Amino acid sequence: MVALLEAKALSAWHGPIRGLYELDLTVEQGGVTALLGANGAGKTTTLRALCNMVRRAGTTTFQGVDISRRSTEDIVRMGVAHVPEGRGTFVALTVEENLRLALHTRRDKAAAMRDRDLVFGYFPILQERLHQQAGTLSGGEQQMLAIGRALMLAPKLMLLDEPSFGLAPLIVREIFRILRQINEHEHVSMLIVEQNAALALDLADTVYLLETGKVVTSGPSALIQNDEALRKSYLGY
Amino acid sequence: MTANWANKRGVGAGALLAWAGLALLPLIGFITENTSFDYYMYMGQSMLIYAIAVLGLNLLIGFNGQISLGHSAFFALGAYTTAILMNFGGWPYWATLPVAAVVCFLAGLAFGFPALKLEGHYLALATFTLAIAMPQLLKYKAIAGWTGGVGGVLLDKPDPPEWTGLSADQFLYYLCLFCAMVLFWLVFNLLRGRSGRAIMAIRDHTMAASTMGIDIARYKTVAFGISAGITGIAGALSAITVAYVAPDSFTLQLSISFLVGLVVGGIASLPGCLIGGAFIVLVQNSAQSISDWMKGTFALRYDVPAWAIYGVLLLALMYVLPDGIAGGCARIRAWWTTRGRREAQ
Amino acid sequence: MDFFIQQIASGLTSGAIYACVALGLVMIYVSTDHINFAQGEMAMFATYLAWAMINAGVPYWIAFGLTIAVAFFGGLFIQRVILKPLEHAPVLALVVCFIALLSIFNAIAGMIWSYTIKQFPSPFPSHDLFGNGLVSVQQLGVVGVTLVMLGLLTVFFRFTTLGLAMRAAAQNPASARLMGVRVAWMLALGWGLAASIGAIAGMLVAPIVFLDPNMMNGILVYGFASALVGGIGNPMGAVAGGFIVGVLENLVGSYVIGNELKLSFALVVVVGVLLLKPAGLFGRVIVRRV
Ligand SMILES: Nc1ncnc2c1ncn2[C@@H]1O[C@H](COP(=O)(O)OP(=O)(O)OP(=O)(O)O)[C@@H](O)[C@H]1O
Ligand SMILES: [Mg+2]
């Protein structure tokens, strides 16, 4: 397999405080990589560093292109859709406007309209709520909207930051089912940050375990799933 | 961060020297033949008056974090209080000063009270409006009997007491200097005390200050009142020294000059107020020569007005010296004192 | 009764101008959270440019369009070059910066064109609309231009993706960036639009009050009052606020306090709204579920 995204010696800072220490990380073409770790391990920081949203060092390449110095906007425009922690809903815009925003960066308007139908296919509820102010959506609906917005960008890679956060188990399972479909049918590779390790291990093919800004271990998810000691000490189940 | 000096004991030798120097300046008048010396004294008065006004503004903006663009209104109120008392009440000039201070203090309280609910941009906006509305208010017909309407009020310049042997301008200079010294000393002590720490705590961490049990509302309104009172005294002094008040001297531009003085001298710096006051007058007086020089050097077709210079300067300072001249000096001093340590490393 | 109608008509006319000024202020407030104290002087300066063009023989409407375009790039320039470095500066630094701009524009206009007042042509004839001395074509024209502009802006923000991107950038810059929106440019665009709208306000008001460098002083204050009445983040509200303030000002001026205290009336409105109803009459409360 080919690496779609590759980070080498990625470090990041929040002001003077260092959050990441020379992390190496790869997302395969078509693959799903999970990033696991306790609260404050640096998972969100990693995703932000990949998109140049924080001060960072090290090299990142996407499809073989060095994106270490590109602006966040440019990285997004190259095909990296980041579903941020907290969902990043535009609360005063309607659902329809939240989705239409993607058209700002896309030239292929016809394809964009097809993508909109695709989003409605995955998340029919969004079509029902189309003209509602996005701030009034439920948490689960806002998460679907966030993933929908990302899909509208026709991405090659999705960075997902805790898509299960604050949601009922039933909805979480539903969202993970849809994520798998998106990965398989739309050929979107994924880098997913999760607290819910069991679900993430199910979905992912590769796993990185993070602790205080460093990779503790990494490998195929099957291996980690079967390593009881590792599971007990880091994933808590 | 700022105002560490406030923790120092007593007034520094530098401050004593500066004030002594200012007190000795008029004596040059006895040894110079220069016929425009009285004019220099007049400039000195203006500088001290502006310094007092900037002191008032600095207490509010620099130390308490409330932005006011409306201090020209309090300056006007002080000036008109003095003018009306002298003109209609026949009061001696010196007796009007405390009255002007009290009137402006009350006006400041009255405005500071609503200002409590306003922050940052909004307070700036409300006070900006006050500054724009003031001249029109002073021209209002119903009160023209007192204020002289558009024409304003002409006053008599006070005569110096015979025994001093001073000229009128030398004497007025000392009057301004005396007021300035008293006010700077009062503010200095205010800031060193408990109230001062509370006032600055509100600026730095409003939330924390309230959890520490500081009565934010009281300190903010009182700070507004004191600030207005000080600026009002400056206004009263200007009425006395200029011997004339008129509505159009108290426009937004006056507020802008105070702001210039504040920013140039240094936000939250007491010595900066003096520097700022001097600076305002120097630019106003040399605007013509600066303009001529620029016309000559850059082959400009037009006169360069003082306001353009002020404006460019304000912008430039925000980029390169956001803490003003006093702040710049402090940084140089800090750099100088830590130099030895750096070399040792 | 006739006098009353005349007052309403002239109130709506000034209201239209206040609305333009308020719209410019709202544009900047929405995109950058700043209150631009230089908005009035920027408008005044643009109006002088129009005056210079017209004096040089350029037909009115061409000068009108050119001025709007020049003002747009001027606004863009100010944001990108002057304000960009102060992005993370405290409020005071920004206020100082706006005051500096105000001084500079005022001084430069005075320097180039002097402080003597100048006639500025109106594209509208000043004769009566119905021949009964109540409403003039000029008044109707001013209100009409404002409404057309409001219409265009509404279409722009509602129906174009660029307008949508601007709104998104203003609301949630971090998230907008993740949608590929170049947020920094959206802010600059907001400034450009604000400057253009201000230029229109200046060109509408100049025939009425005559052109001089201090022409916008009082009008800016009314613009603030209007923006606040309408809820400072809301373009529609700003326009409604403009008309309300314009009519009130005229009625209060003619029937209650006389024309000499009009600015104090603006002060009362500003302080009153800020204290009693900071969201304005039409400020939309955004529902947010956490
Ligand atoms: N804006 C910030 N300023 C200062 N420190 C920060 C900031 N954001 C994160 N940090 C610190 O960086 C470290 C990593 O934070 P990060 O948000 O990446 O953790 P995380 O793994 O995503 O945790 P969680 O599972 O709770 O979301 C933490 O110690 C956090 O306190
Ligand atoms: Mg996180």
Side-chain angles (χ1 to χ4, degrees):
Chain A
M1 281 221 264
V2 208
L4 176 65
L5 178 85
E6 200 164 17
K8 285 222 172 68
L10 187 66
S11 300
W13 290 262
H14 298 286
I17 305 159
R18 188 152 181 188
L20 282 189
Y21 298 85
E22 317 225 322
L23 200 102
D24 292 326
L25 183 130
T26 314
V27 180
E28 306 289 341
Q29 184 89 49
V32 177
T33 300
L35 206 54
L36 305 180
N39 292 122
K43 307 181 295 290
T44 300
T45 307
T46 307
L47 294 197
R48 295 206 170 138
L50 290 172
C51 294
N52 266 353
M53 296 167 76
V54 290
R55 188 158 71 85
R56 37 89 70 216
T59 43
T60 323
T61 51
F62 178 67
Q63 296 186 302
V65 181
D66 186 353
I67 56 167
S68 315
R69 288 174 189 286
R70 299 286 179 93
S71 71
T72 305
E73 293 97 308
D74 280 336
I75 294 173
V76 171
R77 285 168 188 230
M78 288 172 73
V80 179
H82 184 155
V83 181
E85 194 175 50
R87 308 175 191 120
T89 311
F90 298 97
V91 289
L93 302 185
T94 63
V95 170
E96 188 267 341
E97 288 170 330
N98 266 273
L99 294 174
R100 183 153 54 93
L101 187 53
L103 265 64
H104 177 62
T105 54
R106 293 186 63 167
R107 305 221 178 290
D108 46 347
K109 304 292 174 198
M113 290 324 284
R114 279 200 301 280
D115 281 345
R116 213 173 80 136
D117 293 336
L118 197 73
V119 171
F120 292 151
Y122 284 121
F123 305 112
I125 189 79
L126 293 183
Q127 193 161 20
E128 284 169 37
R129 300 269 186 271
L130 205 52
H131 296 292
Q132 193 170 319
Q133 223 184 68
T136 63
L137 295 181
S138 77
E141 289 162 349
Q142 287 194 30
Q143 191 63 58
M144 296 179 197
L145 178 60
I147 297 173
R149 268 205 324 267
L151 263 182
M152 288 295 292
L153 292 168
K156 304 187 182 73
L157 172 69
M158 255 194 212
L159 311 181
L160 294 140
D161 200 336
E162 295 199 40
S164 72
F165 185 80
L167 305 184
L170 218 63
I171 298 182
V172 173
R173 229 165 298 144
E174 170 71 5
I175 284 184
F176 270 78
R177 191 180 58 77
I178 292 170
L179 286 178
R180 181 184 296 281
Q181 286 181 8
I182 292 173
N183 173 243
E184 282 170 3
H185 302 325
E186 321 306 334
H187 310 293
V188 178
S189 315
M190 294 177 178
L191 174 59
I192 181 166
V193 164
E194 253 307 325
Q195 290 293 342
N196 192 330
L199 267 177
L201 284 171
D202 257 2
L203 178 67
D205 40 59
T206 312
V207 174
Y208 288 80
L209 262 180
L210 232 60
E211 195 181 45
T212 55
K214 297 186 191 91
V215 177
V216 183
T217 183
S218 64
S221 44
L223 268 182
I224 297 205
Q225 245 167 339
N226 297 328
D227 186 333
E228 196 151 337
L230 211 60
R231 245 175 42 202
K232 281 240 163 64
S233 52
Y234 290 107
L235 307 176
Y237 76 98
Chain B
M1 24 161 261
T2 34
N4 285 331
W5 54 266
N7 302 327
K8 279 193 232 148
R9 288 257 195 83
V11 186
L16 275 179
L17 266 178
W19 288 111
L22 287 175
L24 291 176
L25 273 182
L27 302 184
I28 298 174
F30 296 113
I31 52 171
T32 177
E33 298 278 290
N34 191 335
T35 45
S36 47
F37 184 75
D38 265 346
Y39 180 69
Y40 290 134
M41 279 289 96
Y42 176 72
M43 270 176 70
Q45 294 158 24
S46 308
M47 288 178 181
L48 289 166
I49 290 171
Y50 275 113
I52 296 173
V54 172
L55 175 71
L57 192 61
N58 217 338
L59 181 63
L60 190 68
I61 297 184
F63 293 99
N64 195 221
Q66 303 192 71
I67 302 177
S68 167
L69 300 172
H71 265 47
S72 59
F74 299 116
F75 193 88
L77 194 60
Y80 270 86
T81 305
T82 288
I84 290 171
L85 285 176
M86 283 174 73
N87 204 28
F88 294 94
W91 288 42
Y93 65 90
W94 49 266
T96 67
L97 289 174
V99 182
V102 171
V103 168
C104 292
F105 173 76
L106 293 177
L109 275 190
F111 206 87
F113 193 65
L116 271 181
K117 289 177 72 179
L118 307 178
E119 283 204 355
H121 287 290
Y122 289 109
L123 184 55
L125 172 51
T127 49
F128 178 90
T129 317
L130 176 67
I132 299 256
M134 196 61 183
Q136 206 190 42
L137 203 59
L138 291 172
K139 289 176 198 165
Y140 188 43
K141 262 209 290 300
I143 54 170
W146 296 94
T147 58
V150 183
V153 184
L154 263 174
L155 303 170
D156 293 324
K157 239 184 199 190
D159 290 319
E162 205 63 60
W163 54 267
T164 56
L166 297 171
S167 74
D169 278 313
Q170 275 170 318
F171 175 70
L172 287 175
Y173 176 90
Y174 276 121
L175 175 69
C176 296
L177 185 66
F178 174 74
C179 292
M181 283 171 82
V182 171
L183 290 170
F184 272 80
W185 185 75
L186 285 176
V187 171
F188 177 70
N189 279 303
L190 170 76
L191 289 172
R192 266 197 325 168
R194 253 174 60 89
S195 324
R197 281 200 300 278
I199 285 175
M200 288 185 271
I202 289 171
R203 170 197 64 191
D204 297 333
H205 316 277
T206 309
M207 293 300 257
S210 82
T211 53
M212 270 153 46
I214 294 174
D215 184 348
I216 294 185
R218 201 178 80 203
Y219 277 109
K220 278 177 97 170
T221 23
V222 170
F224 213 115
I226 297 178
S227 162
I230 294 173
T231 302
I233 294 179
L237 285 172
S238 103
I240 295 169
T241 56
V242 181
Y244 175 56
V245 291
D248 288 324
S249 342
F250 307 111
T251 56
L252 174 70
Q253 298 197 324
L254 183 63
S255 280
I256 299 180
S257 338
F258 298 157
L259 196 65
V260 170
L262 174 72
V263 171
V264 170
I267 292 157
S269 154
L270 290 192
C273 300
L274 277 175
I275 301 175
F279 180 85
I280 297 169
V281 177
L282 283 180
V283 170
Q284 273 172 9
N285 273 273
S286 45
Q288 193 56 51
S289 13
I290 298 176
S291 167
D292 289 343
W293 174 79
M294 282 178 61
K295 268 167 91 173
T297 317
F298 304 112
L300 290 182
R301 275 174 54 202
Y302 304 104
D303 280 325
V304 182
W307 290 100
I309 300 172
Y310 277 160
V312 172
L313 203 90
L314 278 181
L315 269 187
L317 278 174
M318 282 301 108
Y319 296 131
V320 296
L321 208 61
D323 42 4
I325 292 178
C329 292
R331 263 187 291 164
I332 290 173
R333 207 168 49 221
W335 174 81
W336 186 257
T337 46
T338 55
R339 189 182 47 116
R341 241 176 296 156
R342 262 199 314 278
E343 276 168 6
Q345 278 178 1
Chain C
M1 192 61 207
D2 278 3
F3 181 70
F4 183 75
I5 294 176
Q6 281 168 347
Q7 288 309 307
I8 298 280
S10 82
L12 287 175
T13 313
S14 12
I17 289 156
Y18 303 155
C20 288
V21 176
L23 261 180
L25 291 167
V26 167
M27 205 59 65
I28 288 175
Y29 183 81
V30 165
S31 57
T32 58
D33 251 349
H34 300 154
I35 291 175
N36 177 18
F37 291 100
Q39 181 73 14
E41 307 310 89
M42 282 162 56
M44 173 277 297
F45 199 83
T47 312
Y48 267 107
L49 293 181
W51 179 84
M53 284 185 228
I54 292 169
N55 252 23
V58 180
Y60 182 89
W61 288 110
I62 293 180
F64 188 85
L66 276 178
T67 304
I68 292 174
V70 171
F72 179 83
F73 288 107
L76 217 64
F77 175 85
I78 289 177
Q79 204 282 334
R80 292 301 293 182
V81 178
I82 298 179
L83 295 173
K84 191 83 198 312
L86 297 176
E87 233 173 357
H88 304 291
V91 176
L92 177 62
L94 286 160
V95 171
V96 169
C97 179
F98 293 140
I99 291 294
L101 286 174
L102 179 157
S103 301
I104 293 173
F105 277 120
N106 188 291
I108 294 182
M111 166 174 124
I112 302 179
W113 293 292
S114 91
Y115 280 87
T116 50
I117 59 168
K118 295 187 165 50
Q119 292 263 7
F120 190 87
S122 167
F124 309 109
S126 63
H127 63 69
D128 271 12
L129 192 56
F130 306 113
N132 54 6
L134 294 181
V135 180
S136 69
V137 178
Q138 150 87 9
Q139 291 177 324
L140 197 71
V142 170
V143 175
V145 169
T146 303
L147 291 181
V148 166
M149 189 179 68
L150 177 68
L152 290 177
L153 280 175
T154 309
V155 168
F156 173 72
F157 281 111
R158 277 269 170 84
F159 300 113
T160 69
T161 39
L162 184 58
L164 180 61
M166 279 183 71
R167 280 157 67 206
Q171 249 180 58
N172 191 339
S175 194
R177 232 169 247 131
L178 292 181
M179 291 301 286
V181 176
R182 296 195 201 287
V183 172
W185 275 104
M186 296 301 127
L187 305 189
L189 210 55
W191 266 82
L193 281 179
S196 292
I197 297 168
I200 295 176
M203 288 185 284
L204 288 182
V205 76
I208 304 173
V209 301
F210 295 111
L211 182 56
D212 89 286
N214 296 319
M215 149 180 105
M216 296 301 284
N217 262 354
I219 294 169
L220 176 64
V221 169
Y222 278 106
F224 282 140
S226 310
L228 289 171
V229 166
I232 189 151
N234 176 351
M236 291 283 195
V239 172
F243 285 119
I244 292 173
V245 169
V247 170
L248 263 185
E249 172 221 348
N250 259 275
L251 294 182
V252 170
S254 347
Y255 292 110
V256 188
I257 55 173
N259 282 333
E260 302 145 3
L261 281 185
K262 279 185 168 181
L263 285 173
S264 307
F265 170 70
L267 173 65
V268 171
V269 172
V270 166
V271 175
V273 174
L274 281 176
L275 289 181
L276 303 177
K277 206 147 175 12
L281 296 183
F282 313 105
R284 192 161 53 132
V285 179
I286 295 162
V287 184
R288 186 190 295 261
R289 282 169 64 158
V290 187

